[in-house]
Amino acid sequence: MSERSALQQWLALEHEAIWLLPLVGARFGELTRLSRRTRDAHLVARDELLQRLHDAGADPVATALSYEVGPLKTVAQAKKAVRSVETRVAAAALGLVGEMAGDERVFASTALRRAAMTQLDWGGAPTAFPGLP
């Protein structure tokens, strides 16, 4: 997969997270503050990815109207949905860490670390190698 394709995949995941988090925060009051903080981080990452893709002359992937995230009837289901997106963001960032160099590698590794830490915030268990299956 090309670096540009990998960035597009990652951007699509950022769009999904940005769509999901306000939904979770609105449905479950106890998750509102965490949802807002997590969404803010995804907005920053999305904007950086958009800029990088524009700078590379690419047409960034657009956000979907909705995403299939599974049922969100309980707090546990909502947390699981957010952890799923964070796991996929970590995998996307990890894939780029090995492909990039310099500031781009720092960007990807920072995103990997953020996704791993966010998984913990949402009730995930620590793993030795975030982003790996």
Side-chain angles (χ1 to χ4, degrees):
M1 174 184 307
S2 74
E3 184 178 311
R4 189 178 290 184
S5 295
L7 288 171
Q8 294 279 26
Q9 267 190 321
W10 181 3
L11 176 59
L13 292 167
E14 295 295 345
H15 288 320
E16 182 178 345
I18 291 165
W19 176 87
L20 172 64
L21 287 156
L23 183 65
V24 168
R27 286 190 182 183
F28 305 101
E30 63 268 34
L31 299 177
T32 300
R33 182 171 286 138
L34 180 57
S35 293
R36 213 174 267 141
R37 188 177 76 231
T38 304
R39 181 176 181 262
D40 288 348
H42 282 286
L43 287 168
V44 170
R46 183 216 44 204
D47 291 348
E48 179 68 25
L49 286 165
L50 286 169
Q51 187 63 53
R52 288 174 184 273
L53 287 163
H54 283 299
D55 290 348
D59 188 22
V61 64
T63 188
L65 293 176
S66 67
Y67 296 87
E68 181 56 47
V69 295
L72 296 175
K73 295 179 181 177
T74 67
V75 168
Q77 289 173 334
K79 287 181 174 184
K80 182 178 179 182
V82 174
R83 285 193 311 268
S84 172
V85 173
E86 295 299 336
T87 298
R88 290 179 283 135
V89 167
L94 178 63
L96 283 163
V97 167
E99 300 293 321
M100 298 176 144
D103 289 342
E104 293 169 334
R105 178 177 278 170
V106 170
F107 172 66
S109 63
T110 300
L112 171 60
R113 183 175 55 250
R114 181 190 48 78
M117 296 302 291
T118 302
Q119 287 177 46
L120 297 177
D121 290 343
W122 286 89
T127 60
F129 301 103
L132 289 179

